[in-house]
Amino acid sequence: MGLIEAQGLHFSYGDLMVLEDITFSIEQGQMVTIIGPNGGGKTTLLLLALGLLQPSRGQLLIKGKKPVAMQRIMGYVPQFSLFDPHFPITVYDVVLMGRLSRPFGFYSKADHGAVDQALATVGLCELARRPFSELSGGQRQRVLIARALVGQPEILLLDEPTANVDASIGEHLNELLRRLNQQLTILLVTHDTAFVANFTSRIFCINRSLAEHPARGMDTGTAADSLYGTAVRAVRHDVHLETHSHVDQQGSCRHE
């Protein structure tokens, strides 16, 4: 049995069928890119994996069990949305929210250590005390990835991580995900197939049903466009940019 298994999965919002007879098996360590048109069911599939929605029929299993909302085995980066720029919250506080496990609980030393580790992983140690509202779009996206990582998950789910960033930032994210995929299983929803074309393991095309395409030896952008009329950006990710941060030998942020 794979790490993530779907068998005859159906989901509908009332009378509207969104996913129909979805079956797949994802092994540990794979990188799965999910493409398809708006409204095709991509985000719904992620929410089912997170346990935030329940199937109408069939089943989806994580490590052989039905997913439970807020389980730490899963880290989730939602599609970036608007926020109140006047809300006084720092980068550190946003990431720390990923360790919240009980209402009004106190954070432990281990929780704070996990925040330092997550910020080091995404290269943002030096911005820990910066207001979140002052960051660029790419920096905010990395903060949200750190928030997903702080629970030390085995599976990382990302919904359109390049939707609001330019190509140069996309290159940074590409390199970050390549590194994360060495330890984590990743499911990534995107319209920008070039973003992960150089290291994705599998390509799922979802438009109510699922069709899988080989990840090697094909033009992923052309496949998406011909199947679904999906607009795909052509972005180069063959240039890997280095990030610099204050990281100690254990890979954790130092606070002066």
Side-chain angles (χ1 to χ4, degrees):
M1 176 175 286
L3 180 64
I4 307 173
E5 293 271 350
Q7 293 291 333
L9 185 69
H10 291 68
F11 182 83
S12 60
Y13 292 102
D15 295 331
L16 177 62
M17 182 66 71
V18 179
L19 295 173
E20 184 174 14
D21 197 22
I22 302 293
T23 296
F24 61 79
S25 178
I26 297 173
E27 302 297 327
Q28 184 173 353
Q30 290 187 329
M31 165 77 185
V32 179
T33 300
I34 303 172
I35 63 174
N38 292 333
K42 304 184 301 297
T43 296
T44 297
L45 181 60
L46 296 190
L47 296 178
L48 285 163
L50 289 165
L52 298 176
L53 296 175
Q54 298 301 317
S56 306
R57 282 192 298 167
Q59 64 179 4
L60 191 150
L61 303 177
I62 308 295
K63 299 185 77 171
K65 299 179 180 179
K66 292 182 180 180
V68 178
M70 301 300 292
Q71 60 184 342
R72 282 194 176 174
I73 190 175
M74 312 286 281
Y76 178 48
V77 182
Q79 193 167 353
F80 185 75
S81 59
L82 296 176
F83 67 98
D84 184 354
H86 301 293
F87 189 75
I89 190 169
T90 66
V91 166
Y92 191 93
D93 291 332
V94 170
V95 178
L96 187 60
M97 289 167 60
R99 295 289 290 194
L100 185 63
S101 59
R102 57 189 183 278
F104 310 110
F106 292 99
Y107 292 106
S108 67
K109 182 177 180 180
D111 292 331
H112 289 284
V115 173
D116 290 342
Q117 179 69 45
L119 285 171
T121 298
V122 301
L124 291 180
C125 293
E126 71 279 6
L127 299 183
R129 302 302 175 185
R130 182 80 60 85
F132 184 70
S133 60
E134 293 182 2
L135 303 186
S136 68
Q139 289 170 332
R140 290 174 189 162
Q141 194 63 271
R142 282 194 284 161
V143 171
L144 295 180
I145 291 174
R147 185 180 66 178
L149 295 176
V150 78
Q152 299 170 329
E154 296 179 38
I155 303 167
L156 182 62
L157 310 180
L158 302 103
D159 195 352
E160 296 287 2
T162 60
N164 292 281
V165 299
D166 60 29
S168 63
I169 299 302
E171 290 161 4
H172 282 287
L173 291 176
N174 176 275
E175 181 61 27
L176 173 60
L177 292 182
R178 285 171 63 92
R179 287 190 285 111
L180 292 176
N181 188 219
Q182 295 175 10
Q183 278 129 36
L184 300 173
T185 303
I186 298 177
L187 277 68
L188 183 144
V189 169
T190 185
H191 283 91
D192 180 8
T193 53
F195 171 57
V196 288
N198 59 346
F199 71 101
T200 193
S201 305
R202 303 169 70 182
I203 300 170
F204 287 179
C205 301
I206 294 183
N207 186 14
R208 184 163 166 171
S209 60
L210 183 150
E212 182 170 359
H213 290 271
R216 301 292 181 229
M218 70 175 292
D219 184 337
T220 55
T222 301
D225 192 54
S226 63
L227 282 167
Y228 303 121
T230 304
V232 180
R233 289 189 295 156
V235 181
R236 284 188 59 186
H237 296 291
D238 55 340
V239 178
H240 295 155
L241 306 179
E242 293 186 5
T243 57
H244 301 279
S245 59
H246 303 292
V247 183
D248 64 21
Q249 292 183 348
Q250 286 74 42
S252 179
C253 293
R254 298 198 309 264
H255 294 301
E256 306 297 339

